[in-house]
Amino acid sequence: MAKLSNGSSSSNSSSPVKPSSSNSLSYKAIIAMFLLALQFGIQPVVTKRFTSKTIIKSTVIFTQEAVKLCIGVVGISLGKTSWGDVTAGWTIASWFRLAFLPATIYLVQNMCSLLAYQNLDAITYNVLNQTKTLSAAFCCYLLMGKKQST
């Protein structure tokens, strides 16, 4: 039972995030952070090494999107939810309404990212790439008046 600000109690048994009994990180969290840090450090170097100025940009972007699709399909297939439940209510019209604009923005972002890989050194690219999180939070605050949670 959790105390609400008005003094009443509320049961949060269905909450997906359960508070831990200690402040220490789990081994899974430590491994995930290590792998993220490793990817953060290696990605720009590897990408710069294998992304020449003569590559066909559309092929690289298509390959990136195909890999993302495969990861998503594997994730859904290994999950507890069936494909029927996942795709229930999907139509071409709903795809255009909900996904066309974000998909187009990601396409432009991938093109810009590929150009940056080819023309910037690895450290500069990585630092600039990480500023998108801060700029998204700032735009969210400016446009929607939403403050970051603590």
Side-chain angles (χ1 to χ4, degrees), residues 12 15-23:
N12 289 348
S15 174
V17 178
K18 295 180 181 166
S20 64
S21 59
S22 68
N23 290 333

Side-chain angles (χ1 to χ4, degrees), residues 15-86:
S15 174
V17 178
K18 295 180 181 166
S20 64
S21 59
S22 68
N23 290 333
S24 64
L25 293 173
S26 70
Y27 288 115
K28 283 184 181 179
I30 292 170
I31 291 170
M33 287 191 299
F34 171 76
L35 291 174
L36 184 61
L38 185 66
Q39 182 265 339
F40 181 82
I42 290 175
Q43 177 193 6
V45 175
V46 171
T47 304
K48 182 79 169 180
R49 167 112 164 80
F50 294 104
T51 308
S52 72
K53 292 189 185 269
T54 60
I55 63 170
I56 302 169
K57 292 173 182 60
S58 59
T59 303
V60 173
I61 292 172
F62 179 78
T63 304
Q64 287 176 338
E65 296 307 315
V67 168
K68 290 177 192 177
L69 178 65
C70 289
I71 291 170
V73 167
V74 168
I76 292 171
S77 297
L78 295 176
K80 295 178 181 176
T81 308
S82 71
W83 274 97
D85 292 338
V86 171

